[in-house]
Amino acid sequence: MIKNVKRFGAALFLTPMILLGACGGGDDSSGASGEEAADYPERDIKGVIQWGEGGATDNISRTLAPLAEEELGGTLVMENREGASGATGAQYVYDQPADGYTLLFGAENPNLYQVLGISERDYLTDFKPVTIIGQSYAGIVVREDSEFDSLEDLIDHSKENPGDITMGTSGEGGLPHVASAMLQAELGTEFNQVPYDGDGPLATALLGNEIDATVLAVSAAQEYVESGDFKMLAVINDEPLDSAPDAPAITEEYPEFEKYLPWGPFQGVFAHKDTPNEIMDKLTESFEAAQEDEEFQETLENLGVNPLNINGEEAVEYLEQNQSTSTWMLYDAGATETSPEEFDIPRVDEE
Protein backbone atom coordinates (compact mmCIF):
# COMPACT_ATOMS: atom_id res chain seq x y z
CA MET A 1 0.00 0.00 0.00
CA ILE A 2 1.34 3.45 -0.84
CA LYS A 3 2.34 5.52 2.12
CA ASN A 4 1.11 9.08 1.82
CA VAL A 5 3.32 11.68 3.41
CA LYS A 6 2.93 15.38 3.90
CA ARG A 7 3.09 17.29 0.61
CA PHE A 8 6.12 19.46 0.45
CA GLY A 9 5.59 22.96 -0.82
CA ALA A 10 8.31 25.05 -2.39
CA ALA A 11 8.77 28.56 -3.64
CA LEU A 12 7.09 29.03 -6.98
CA PHE A 13 10.18 30.37 -8.60
CA LEU A 14 13.85 29.65 -7.92
CA THR A 15 16.51 31.90 -9.33
CA PRO A 16 18.87 30.39 -11.85
CA MET A 17 21.68 31.12 -9.37
CA ILE A 18 20.11 28.85 -6.77
CA LEU A 19 19.37 26.13 -9.25
CA LEU A 20 22.77 26.26 -10.89
CA GLY A 21 24.49 26.39 -7.54
CA ALA A 22 22.76 23.29 -6.16
CA CYS A 23 24.94 20.31 -5.48
CA GLY A 24 25.60 18.06 -8.43
CA GLY A 25 24.00 14.87 -7.23
CA GLY A 26 25.53 11.47 -6.86
CA ASP A 27 27.94 9.66 -9.10
CA ASP A 28 28.91 6.04 -9.67
CA SER A 29 30.66 5.89 -6.29
CA SER A 30 27.38 6.66 -4.50
CA GLY A 31 25.50 3.94 -6.36
CA ALA A 32 24.80 0.44 -5.17
CA SER A 33 27.28 -2.42 -5.33
CA GLY A 34 26.43 -5.53 -7.32
CA GLU A 35 25.32 -7.31 -4.15
CA GLU A 36 23.15 -4.36 -3.07
CA ALA A 37 21.61 -4.21 -6.52
CA ALA A 38 20.66 -7.90 -6.30
CA ASP A 39 18.80 -7.23 -3.04
CA TYR A 40 17.15 -4.03 -4.27
CA PRO A 41 14.89 -2.70 -2.87
CA GLU A 42 15.84 -3.19 0.78
CA ARG A 43 14.03 -0.08 2.00
CA ASP A 44 11.28 2.29 0.91
CA ILE A 45 11.67 4.02 -2.45
CA LYS A 46 10.74 7.70 -2.55
CA GLY A 47 8.67 8.77 -5.54
CA VAL A 48 8.90 12.52 -6.10
CA ILE A 49 6.08 14.05 -8.16
CA GLN A 50 7.29 17.36 -9.60
CA TRP A 51 3.80 18.89 -9.65
CA GLY A 52 1.08 19.49 -7.08
CA GLU A 53 -1.89 17.36 -6.12
CA GLY A 54 -4.73 16.62 -8.49
CA GLY A 55 -3.01 17.23 -11.81
CA ALA A 56 -2.39 14.77 -14.62
CA THR A 57 1.12 13.82 -13.48
CA ASP A 58 -0.03 13.37 -9.88
CA ASN A 59 -3.08 11.29 -10.81
CA ILE A 60 -1.23 9.01 -13.23
CA SER A 61 1.75 8.58 -10.89
CA ARG A 62 -0.37 7.66 -7.88
CA THR A 63 -2.41 5.21 -9.96
CA LEU A 64 0.70 3.47 -11.27
CA ALA A 65 2.65 3.41 -7.99
CA PRO A 66 0.80 0.53 -6.22
CA LEU A 67 1.09 -1.62 -9.35
CA ALA A 68 4.84 -0.96 -9.49
CA GLU A 69 5.12 -1.81 -5.80
CA GLU A 70 3.79 -5.29 -6.46
CA GLU A 71 6.34 -5.87 -9.21
CA LEU A 72 9.25 -4.42 -7.26
CA GLY A 73 8.44 -6.16 -4.00
CA GLY A 74 8.89 -2.92 -2.09
CA THR A 75 7.11 0.24 -1.00
CA LEU A 76 6.88 3.51 -2.90
CA VAL A 77 6.44 6.56 -0.67
CA MET A 78 4.96 9.24 -2.90
CA GLU A 79 5.32 12.96 -2.23
CA ASN A 80 4.76 16.19 -4.14
CA ARG A 81 7.66 18.64 -4.47
CA GLU A 82 6.26 21.31 -6.74
CA GLY A 83 7.71 24.68 -7.67
CA ALA A 84 9.68 26.45 -10.40
CA SER A 85 7.86 24.67 -13.23
CA GLY A 86 8.79 21.31 -11.76
CA ALA A 87 12.48 22.20 -11.36
CA THR A 88 12.31 21.96 -7.56
CA GLY A 89 11.43 18.27 -7.70
CA ALA A 90 13.87 17.54 -10.52
CA GLN A 91 16.76 19.19 -8.68
CA TYR A 92 15.88 17.37 -5.45
CA VAL A 93 16.02 13.96 -7.15
CA TYR A 94 19.27 14.86 -8.89
CA ASP A 95 20.83 15.82 -5.56
CA GLN A 96 20.08 12.43 -3.95
CA PRO A 97 22.42 9.40 -4.07
CA ALA A 98 22.24 7.53 -7.38
CA ASP A 99 21.06 4.32 -5.75
CA GLY A 100 17.54 3.92 -7.13
CA TYR A 101 15.83 4.93 -3.90
CA THR A 102 14.66 8.34 -5.17
CA LEU A 103 12.71 8.47 -8.43
CA LEU A 104 11.31 11.44 -10.32
CA PHE A 105 7.72 11.15 -11.53
CA GLY A 106 7.78 13.94 -14.06
CA ALA A 107 6.28 15.52 -17.13
CA GLU A 108 7.73 17.18 -20.20
CA ASN A 109 8.97 20.38 -18.58
CA PRO A 110 12.65 19.49 -17.95
CA ASN A 111 13.04 19.23 -21.72
CA LEU A 112 12.61 23.02 -21.82
CA TYR A 113 14.52 24.17 -18.73
CA GLN A 114 17.78 25.05 -20.47
CA VAL A 115 16.37 27.23 -23.27
CA LEU A 116 14.07 28.99 -20.78
CA GLY A 117 16.88 29.57 -18.28
CA ILE A 118 14.96 27.83 -15.49
CA SER A 119 17.53 25.21 -14.56
CA GLU A 120 20.55 23.41 -15.96
CA ARG A 121 18.88 20.05 -15.28
CA ASP A 122 17.87 18.09 -18.36
CA TYR A 123 16.34 14.64 -18.84
CA LEU A 124 18.83 13.59 -21.50
CA THR A 125 21.98 14.51 -19.59
CA ASP A 126 21.04 14.22 -15.91
CA PHE A 127 18.57 11.33 -15.71
CA LYS A 128 17.83 7.90 -17.14
CA PRO A 129 14.25 7.14 -18.22
CA VAL A 130 12.79 4.22 -16.28
CA THR A 131 9.69 4.49 -18.46
CA ILE A 132 7.74 6.95 -20.57
CA ILE A 133 4.19 6.13 -19.48
CA GLY A 134 2.17 7.90 -22.11
CA GLN A 135 1.49 11.07 -24.05
CA SER A 136 -1.57 13.17 -23.52
CA TYR A 137 -3.08 16.27 -25.08
CA ALA A 138 -3.84 19.79 -23.97
CA GLY A 139 -7.24 21.49 -23.84
CA ILE A 140 -8.11 25.17 -23.51
CA VAL A 141 -10.74 25.46 -20.76
CA VAL A 142 -12.98 28.03 -19.12
CA ARG A 143 -15.71 27.80 -16.48
CA GLU A 144 -19.09 26.54 -17.60
CA ASP A 145 -20.62 29.97 -16.88
CA SER A 146 -17.94 31.82 -18.85
CA GLU A 147 -19.01 34.35 -21.46
CA PHE A 148 -16.73 32.54 -23.91
CA ASP A 149 -18.47 29.70 -25.72
CA SER A 150 -15.81 29.08 -28.34
CA LEU A 151 -12.09 29.51 -28.78
CA GLU A 152 -12.83 32.23 -31.32
CA ASP A 153 -14.74 34.17 -28.63
CA LEU A 154 -11.74 33.95 -26.30
CA ILE A 155 -9.23 34.92 -28.98
CA ASP A 156 -11.26 37.85 -30.27
CA HIS A 157 -11.75 39.25 -26.75
CA SER A 158 -8.04 38.94 -25.98
CA LYS A 159 -7.04 40.73 -29.16
CA GLU A 160 -9.56 43.52 -28.62
CA ASN A 161 -8.81 43.83 -24.89
CA PRO A 162 -5.10 43.05 -24.37
CA GLY A 163 -4.35 41.76 -20.86
CA ASP A 164 -8.02 41.66 -19.82
CA ILE A 165 -8.25 37.86 -19.71
CA THR A 166 -6.42 36.24 -16.80
CA MET A 167 -4.74 33.06 -18.01
CA GLY A 168 -3.61 30.63 -15.30
CA THR A 169 -0.24 29.04 -16.03
CA SER A 170 2.00 26.44 -14.41
CA GLY A 171 5.09 28.59 -14.88
CA GLU A 172 7.55 28.86 -17.75
CA GLY A 173 7.58 25.79 -19.93
CA GLY A 174 4.22 24.54 -18.66
CA LEU A 175 1.30 23.81 -20.98
CA PRO A 176 -0.45 27.19 -20.57
CA HIS A 177 2.80 29.07 -21.08
CA VAL A 178 3.67 27.20 -24.27
CA ALA A 179 0.11 27.41 -25.57
CA SER A 180 -0.09 31.14 -24.80
CA ALA A 181 3.17 31.67 -26.67
CA MET A 182 1.74 29.91 -29.71
CA LEU A 183 -1.48 31.94 -29.55
CA GLN A 184 0.42 35.20 -29.22
CA ALA A 185 2.81 34.39 -32.05
CA GLU A 186 0.13 33.28 -34.49
CA LEU A 187 -2.92 35.32 -33.49
CA GLY A 188 -1.62 38.35 -31.62
CA THR A 189 -3.33 37.56 -28.31
CA GLU A 190 -2.20 39.02 -24.99
CA PHE A 191 -3.15 37.46 -21.65
CA ASN A 192 -2.54 38.45 -18.05
CA GLN A 193 -0.65 35.34 -16.93
CA VAL A 194 -0.77 34.17 -13.29
CA PRO A 195 1.35 31.15 -12.24
CA TYR A 196 0.22 28.13 -10.16
CA ASP A 197 1.85 24.83 -9.23
CA GLY A 198 0.37 22.44 -11.78
CA ASP A 199 -2.95 21.19 -13.16
CA GLY A 200 -4.58 20.60 -9.79
CA PRO A 201 -4.07 24.13 -8.42
CA LEU A 202 -4.99 25.56 -11.84
CA ALA A 203 -8.30 23.68 -11.84
CA THR A 204 -9.00 24.92 -8.31
CA ALA A 205 -8.19 28.49 -9.34
CA LEU A 206 -10.51 28.28 -12.33
CA LEU A 207 -13.29 26.84 -10.17
CA GLY A 208 -12.76 29.63 -7.65
CA ASN A 209 -13.00 32.37 -10.28
CA GLU A 210 -9.39 33.44 -9.66
CA ILE A 211 -8.59 33.09 -13.37
CA ASP A 212 -10.65 33.28 -16.56
CA ALA A 213 -9.05 30.49 -18.58
CA THR A 214 -6.21 28.01 -18.59
CA VAL A 215 -4.75 25.12 -20.52
CA LEU A 216 -4.89 21.69 -18.87
CA ALA A 217 -3.94 18.22 -19.91
CA VAL A 218 -7.15 16.68 -21.23
CA SER A 219 -6.60 13.91 -18.67
CA ALA A 220 -6.79 16.48 -15.84
CA ALA A 221 -9.66 18.56 -17.30
CA GLN A 222 -12.03 15.85 -18.41
CA GLU A 223 -13.61 15.13 -15.02
CA TYR A 224 -14.49 18.82 -14.67
CA VAL A 225 -15.93 18.91 -18.16
CA GLU A 226 -18.03 15.82 -17.49
CA SER A 227 -19.28 17.24 -14.18
CA GLY A 228 -20.39 20.45 -15.90
CA ASP A 229 -17.88 22.75 -14.18
CA PHE A 230 -15.72 23.51 -17.23
CA LYS A 231 -16.11 24.01 -20.95
CA MET A 232 -13.28 22.81 -23.19
CA LEU A 233 -13.10 25.30 -26.04
CA ALA A 234 -10.59 23.33 -28.10
CA VAL A 235 -7.92 20.66 -27.93
CA ILE A 236 -4.42 21.58 -29.08
CA ASN A 237 -4.25 18.91 -31.71
CA ASP A 238 -4.77 18.52 -35.45
CA GLU A 239 -7.82 16.30 -35.01
CA PRO A 240 -10.56 15.83 -32.37
CA LEU A 241 -10.02 13.36 -29.53
CA ASP A 242 -12.30 10.45 -28.67
CA SER A 243 -11.85 11.34 -24.98
CA ALA A 244 -13.10 14.91 -25.60
CA PRO A 245 -15.61 14.55 -28.45
CA ASP A 246 -17.27 17.93 -27.90
CA ALA A 247 -14.04 19.91 -28.15
CA PRO A 248 -12.92 20.83 -31.67
CA ALA A 249 -9.30 20.56 -32.77
CA ILE A 250 -7.61 23.98 -32.69
CA THR A 251 -6.79 23.63 -36.39
CA GLU A 252 -10.47 23.59 -37.32
CA GLU A 253 -10.65 27.33 -36.68
CA TYR A 254 -6.95 28.17 -36.90
CA PRO A 255 -5.15 25.97 -39.46
CA GLU A 256 -1.94 27.97 -38.95
CA PHE A 257 -1.27 25.81 -35.87
CA GLU A 258 -0.73 22.70 -37.98
CA LYS A 259 3.01 23.38 -38.11
CA TYR A 260 3.25 22.92 -34.33
CA LEU A 261 1.34 19.64 -34.23
CA PRO A 262 1.16 16.86 -33.17
CA TRP A 263 2.47 17.96 -29.78
CA GLY A 264 1.50 17.32 -26.20
CA PRO A 265 2.56 16.61 -22.65
CA PHE A 266 3.87 13.28 -21.42
CA GLN A 267 4.42 11.54 -18.12
CA GLY A 268 7.36 9.35 -17.15
CA VAL A 269 9.52 7.98 -14.36
CA PHE A 270 13.21 8.88 -14.16
CA ALA A 271 16.26 7.89 -12.10
CA HIS A 272 19.56 9.68 -11.56
CA LYS A 273 21.92 9.26 -14.52
CA ASP A 274 24.47 7.33 -12.41
CA THR A 275 22.02 4.73 -11.12
CA PRO A 276 23.65 1.27 -11.50
CA ASN A 277 22.53 -0.70 -14.53
CA GLU A 278 21.39 -3.66 -12.40
CA ILE A 279 18.98 -1.43 -10.49
CA MET A 280 17.82 0.30 -13.68
CA ASP A 281 17.05 -3.09 -15.18
CA LYS A 282 14.88 -4.06 -12.22
CA LEU A 283 13.07 -0.71 -12.22
CA THR A 284 12.48 -0.86 -15.96
CA GLU A 285 11.15 -4.42 -15.88
CA SER A 286 8.91 -3.69 -12.89
CA PHE A 287 7.36 -0.52 -14.29
CA GLU A 288 6.93 -2.11 -17.71
CA ALA A 289 5.01 -5.03 -16.19
CA ALA A 290 2.97 -2.70 -13.96
CA GLN A 291 1.72 -0.73 -16.95
CA GLU A 292 0.38 -3.86 -18.61
CA ASP A 293 -2.34 -4.02 -15.97
CA GLU A 294 -5.69 -3.87 -17.78
CA GLU A 295 -7.30 -1.49 -15.32
CA PHE A 296 -4.35 0.90 -15.62
CA GLN A 297 -4.63 0.79 -19.39
CA GLU A 298 -8.34 1.58 -19.09
CA THR A 299 -7.51 4.46 -16.75
CA LEU A 300 -5.14 5.98 -19.30
CA GLU A 301 -7.69 5.53 -22.07
CA ASN A 302 -10.40 7.22 -20.00
CA LEU A 303 -8.03 10.10 -19.29
CA GLY A 304 -7.29 10.58 -22.97
CA VAL A 305 -3.69 9.45 -22.59
CA ASN A 306 -2.02 7.52 -25.39
CA PRO A 307 -0.20 4.63 -23.63
CA LEU A 308 3.46 4.31 -24.58
CA ASN A 309 5.17 2.13 -21.93
CA ILE A 310 8.59 2.55 -23.53
CA ASN A 311 12.05 2.45 -21.99
CA GLY A 312 15.72 2.18 -22.88
CA GLU A 313 16.89 3.58 -26.20
CA GLU A 314 13.32 3.94 -27.46
CA ALA A 315 12.53 6.22 -24.53
CA VAL A 316 15.70 8.25 -25.16
CA GLU A 317 14.74 8.74 -28.81
CA TYR A 318 11.25 9.82 -27.75
CA LEU A 319 12.73 12.40 -25.34
CA GLU A 320 15.07 13.70 -28.02
CA GLN A 321 12.23 14.21 -30.48
CA ASN A 322 9.98 15.84 -27.89
CA GLN A 323 12.76 18.19 -26.82
CA SER A 324 13.53 19.17 -30.40
CA THR A 325 9.88 19.82 -31.22
CA SER A 326 9.10 21.75 -28.02
CA THR A 327 12.21 23.91 -27.78
CA TRP A 328 12.16 24.97 -31.42
CA MET A 329 8.41 25.61 -31.21
CA LEU A 330 8.99 28.00 -28.29
CA TYR A 331 11.89 29.69 -30.05
CA ASP A 332 10.01 30.10 -33.33
CA ALA A 333 7.01 31.47 -31.42
CA GLY A 334 9.24 34.10 -29.79
CA ALA A 335 8.75 32.75 -26.25
CA THR A 336 12.50 32.47 -25.66
CA GLU A 337 15.45 34.41 -27.01
CA THR A 338 17.81 31.49 -26.44
CA SER A 339 18.18 29.29 -29.49
CA PRO A 340 18.11 25.52 -28.94
CA GLU A 341 21.24 25.47 -31.07
CA GLU A 342 23.15 26.79 -28.07
CA PHE A 343 22.47 23.45 -26.38
CA ASP A 344 23.09 21.36 -29.49
CA ILE A 345 19.38 20.61 -29.88
CA PRO A 346 18.64 20.07 -33.57
CA ARG A 347 15.36 20.68 -35.30
CA VAL A 348 13.39 17.48 -35.73
CA ASP A 349 13.91 17.47 -39.50
CA GLU A 350 17.66 17.90 -39.01
CA GLU A 351 18.14 14.87 -36.74
Side-chain angles (χ1 to χ4, degrees), residues 10 30 65 113-114 118 142 160 196 215 292 296 349:
S30 66
Y113 287 163
Q114 293 179 333
I118 294 174
V142 296
E160 294 168 5
Y196 292 84
V215 181
E292 292 173 357
F296 182 70
D349 56 6

Side-chain angles (χ1 to χ4, degrees), residues 180-250:
S180 295
M182 289 191 294
L183 293 172
Q184 180 176 346
E186 296 298 328
L187 305 176
T189 58
E190 183 177 333
F191 300 105
N192 172 30
Q193 298 191 31
V194 178
Y196 292 84
D197 281 328
D199 284 350
L202 279 170
T204 300
L206 187 57
L207 283 170
N209 207 25
E210 296 176 20
I211 56 178
D212 300 311
T214 190
V215 181
L216 298 174
V218 171
S219 54
Q222 197 59 13
E223 64 177 294
Y224 296 98
V225 174
E226 292 175 353
S227 66
D229 293 309
F230 293 169
K231 292 183 288 191
M232 190 174 296
L233 303 183
V235 291
I236 303 178
N237 196 38
D238 51 6
E239 59 183 28
L241 302 176
D242 291 340
S243 57
D246 296 328
I250 192 171

Side-chain angles (χ1 to χ4, degrees), residues 52-264:
E53 297 178 65
T57 302
D58 184 66
N59 291 337
I60 291 171
S61 299
R62 291 182 180 275
T63 302
L64 179 59
L67 302 173
E69 284 183 330
E70 294 180 13
E71 300 294 336
L72 284 165
T75 300
L76 273 163
V77 181
M78 305 296 288
E79 65 178 45
N80 300 76
R81 284 183 179 262
E82 66 269 29
S85 297
T88 299
Q91 185 67 50
Y92 174 81
V93 174
Y94 181 76
D95 288 340
Q96 306 311 304
D99 55 9
Y101 285 98
T102 310
L103 303 177
L104 177 64
F105 286 70
E108 68 282 353
N109 308 77
N111 268 347
L112 306 174
Y113 287 163
Q114 293 179 333
V115 297
L116 290 171
I118 294 174
S119 168
E120 64 177 349
R121 299 281 73 85
D122 172 81
Y123 278 143
L124 290 163
T125 56
D126 298 317
F127 298 93
K128 291 180 180 177
V130 173
T131 181
I132 304 299
I133 300 167
Q135 178 173 312
S136 52
Y137 301 89
I140 301 171
V141 295
V142 296
R143 286 183 306 281
E144 179 61 33
D145 61 358
S146 170
E147 64 182 286
F148 309 119
D149 292 319
S150 68
L151 180 58
E152 187 177 13
D153 290 342
L154 183 77
I155 297 302
D156 289 347
H157 186 93
S158 175
K159 292 167 67 175
E160 294 168 5
N161 304 275
D164 186 57
I165 296 175
T166 301
M167 172 72 76
T169 79
S170 50
E172 287 190 294
L175 284 179
H177 173 245
V178 177
S180 295
M182 289 191 294
L183 293 172
Q184 180 176 346
E186 296 298 328
L187 305 176
T189 58
E190 183 177 333
F191 300 105
N192 172 30
Q193 298 191 31
V194 178
Y196 292 84
D197 281 328
D199 284 350
L202 279 170
T204 300
L206 187 57
L207 283 170
N209 207 25
E210 296 176 20
I211 56 178
D212 300 311
T214 190
V215 181
L216 298 174
V218 171
S219 54
Q222 197 59 13
E223 64 177 294
Y224 296 98
V225 174
E226 292 175 353
S227 66
D229 293 309
F230 293 169
K231 292 183 288 191
M232 190 174 296
L233 303 183
V235 291
I236 303 178
N237 196 38
D238 51 6
E239 59 183 28
L241 302 176
D242 291 340
S243 57
D246 296 328
I250 192 171
T251 51
E252 289 185 20
E253 188 64 38
Y254 303 102
E256 53 265 51
F257 285 95
E258 287 181 2
K259 63 186 177 184
Y260 296 114
L261 306 171
W263 169 84

